[in-house]
Amino acid sequence: MKIYIDEEKCTGCGKCKAACPKGPRIYSIEKKDGRKVCVLKDPSYCLGCRMCVTVCMEDAITLEN
């Protein structure tokens, strides 16, 4: 799976990281340009469960095969 995060939409809330079974290995919440955003640490751990997409209220995450 390929994970794409639209940093313009992302608010850095961390719901994706919390909902994902492998969240702490895949996602990191960091400051960029003075605001919090979610960035990918290691997407190879992705199980393809789409929980991150489901909980993202900003529609900032996209998964593709």
Side-chain angles (χ1 to χ4, degrees), residues 48-63:
C49 69
R50 305 183 68 80
M51 287 302 298
C52 58
V53 175
T54 303
V55 299
C56 182
M57 301 306 291
E58 308 301 325
D59 293 324
I61 302 173
T62 307
L63 264 66

Side-chain angles (χ1 to χ4, degrees), residues 24-41:
R25 291 184 175 169
I26 298 174
Y27 301 106
S28 176
I29 307 300
E30 299 179 7
K31 278 207 169 204
K32 278 191 174 182
D33 299 324
R35 62 186 204 93
K36 290 192 320 182
V37 294
C38 185
V39 295
L40 294 174
K41 286 180 10 181

